[in-house]
């Protein structure tokens, strides 16, 4: 038996739509695999009742098929589905690492990115790698048609997850089909600022670079209380706040000493609009970790 822990991730980061992603220290999925004549899947944990166990309908099943690696697969969900924290990507990345090792397929982590992304297509309708890349590689990732660029980073963040759901398909449906040249120029500048901030582990630069006037404003309309939560986080010391992935999770970048106050402020702000939530005080961290013998 092999066991892999794969982290939650946050994609887009405001200005990097479908390009940027980061791995988070918590929460995470745990996936255990054993060789078998055919693939079977069992799912437990957060939101498991909403996740199909049919290999033809599960991201992990798609990964097993792509690697030609049938297995008995057990998924313990720590990352809730429809959270904006890369739930399906965590499972897909963990399965890719585990099955690659179980069958000695010899694929590098970079080579596993498109394989795990194919599993993501079952959820979003398209094979996007902005969540699976950081889940596999860790740190901060930049995904383009030419490949993935990765930078190790350890920026402190608070990921606040409200008790509401926003599906990736619905969130993609509100993305504008066009943007003004002014907005494009601003977004490019902000994205460049964010990338420099990640390379320097500078939360001020990263926060400044998260501003986006194209996609984020449309997605915030799907999240009850977003504006109130954002303002509360900024007042508590966050250097930047944006929607995590497709939402409804909200990501606040900060300095470590401000995390607790920011987390409390975000939860209180959601509570003020009648929405329960949970805040993870974490940081940009490592990617999927492989263990053997079920340890």
């Amino acid at each position: 038996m092999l066991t892999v822990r794969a982290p939650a991730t946050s994609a887009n980061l405001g200005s990097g739509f479908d390009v940027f992603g980061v791995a988070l220290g918590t929460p995470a999925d745990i996936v255990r695999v054993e060789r078998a004549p055919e693939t079977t899947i069992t799912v437990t944990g957060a939101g498991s009742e909403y996740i199909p166990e049919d290999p033809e309908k599960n991201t992990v099943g798609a990964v097993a098929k792509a690697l030609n690696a049938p297995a008995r697969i057990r998924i313990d969900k720590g990352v809730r589905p429809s959270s904006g924290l890369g739930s399906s990507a965590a499972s897909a990345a963990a399965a890719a690492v585990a099955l690659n090792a179980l069958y000695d397929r010899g694929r590098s982590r970079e080579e596993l990115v498109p394989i795990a992304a194919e599993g993501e297509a079952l959820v979003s309708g398209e094979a996007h790698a902005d969540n699976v890349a950081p889940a596999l590689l860790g740190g901060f990732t930049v995904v383009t048609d030419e490949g993935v660029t990765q930078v190790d980073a350890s920026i402190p963040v608070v990921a606040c997850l409200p008790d509401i759901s926003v599906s990736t398909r619905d969130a993609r449906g509100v993305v504008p089909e066009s943007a003004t040249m002014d907005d494009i120029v601003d977004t490019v500048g902000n994205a460049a600022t964010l990338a420099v901030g990640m390379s320097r582990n500078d939360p001020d630069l990263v926060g400044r670079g998260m501003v986006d006037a194209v996609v984020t404003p449309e997605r915030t309309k799907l999240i009850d209380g977003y504006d109130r939560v954002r303002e509360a986080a900024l007042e508590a010391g966050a250097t930047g706040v944006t929607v995590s992935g497709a939402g409804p999770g909200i990501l606040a970048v900060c300095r470590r000493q401000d995390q607790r106050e920011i987390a409390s402020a975000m939860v209180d702000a959601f509570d003020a609009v009648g929405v329960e939530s949970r805040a993870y005080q974490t940081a940009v961290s490592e990617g999927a970790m492989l263990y053997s013998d079920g340890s």
Side-chain angles (χ1 to χ4, degrees), residues 3-287:
T3 301
V4 173
R5 178 192 186 276
T9 52
S10 183
N12 305 331
L13 307 180
S15 58
F17 178 67
D18 274 2
V19 175
F20 291 168
V22 290
L24 303 178
T26 54
D29 280 6
I30 305 295
V31 172
R32 296 177 175 87
V33 300
E34 295 177 276
R35 288 198 184 206
E38 61 181 17
T39 296
T40 59
I41 300 171
T42 303
V43 187
T44 58
S48 58
E49 64 271 27
Y50 304 112
I51 301 173
E53 295 184 338
D54 181 349
E56 295 296 322
K57 299 178 181 179
N58 188 293
T59 58
V60 167
V63 171
K65 185 175 182 179
L67 286 170
N68 188 25
R72 182 180 301 109
I73 304 172
R74 290 181 285 168
I75 306 170
D76 184 7
K77 294 296 296 178
V79 188
R80 196 197 80 193
S82 299
S83 62
L85 297 177
S87 178
S88 57
S91 296
V97 171
L99 294 172
N100 183 57
L102 187 69
Y103 279 89
D104 288 325
R105 293 294 183 242
R107 305 289 182 91
S108 68
R109 290 292 180 101
E110 289 78 7
E111 290 171 332
L112 290 176
V113 169
I115 292 172
E118 285 301 322
E120 279 274 77
L122 288 177
V123 176
S124 65
E126 298 178 66
H128 293 284
D130 50 354
N131 283 107
V132 295
L136 284 164
L137 304 176
F140 168 66
T141 56
V142 180
V143 176
T144 69
D145 290 341
E146 302 303 316
V148 181
T149 302
Q150 187 269 354
V151 174
D152 289 332
S154 56
I155 299 286
V157 300
V158 174
C160 189
L161 179 58
D163 192 18
I164 56 178
S165 293
V166 175
S167 76
T168 301
R169 290 177 188 267
D170 289 346
R172 296 198 74 82
V174 301
V175 174
E177 295 183 357
S178 62
T180 67
M181 182 57 69
D182 285 346
D183 283 344
I184 292 172
V185 171
D186 286 345
T187 301
V188 170
N190 291 335
T193 300
L194 189 155
V196 171
M198 285 291 182
S199 68
R200 295 180 179 176
N201 271 324
D202 185 333
D204 291 309
L205 280 180
V206 172
R208 192 190 314 164
M210 292 168 72
V211 178
D212 161 53
V214 181
V215 177
T216 304
E218 298 304 314
R219 287 188 160 178
T220 63
K221 297 174 184 177
L222 302 176
I223 305 171
D224 293 339
Y226 175 84
D227 289 338
R228 187 166 188 155
V229 174
R230 179 178 182 274
E231 287 305 314
L234 292 172
E235 288 177 7
T239 61
V241 181
T242 193
V243 178
S244 180
I250 300 177
L251 188 75
V253 171
C254 60
R255 301 172 193 86
R256 194 166 300 280
Q257 65 266 27
D258 296 324
Q259 276 186 306
R260 181 173 296 181
E261 186 173 349
I262 292 167
S264 179
M266 295 175 81
V267 170
D268 288 347
F270 267 126
D271 187 60
V273 295
V275 176
E276 294 185 2
S277 64
R278 176 178 181 178
Y280 296 93
Q281 299 176 50
T282 184
V284 179
S285 190
E286 60 193 5

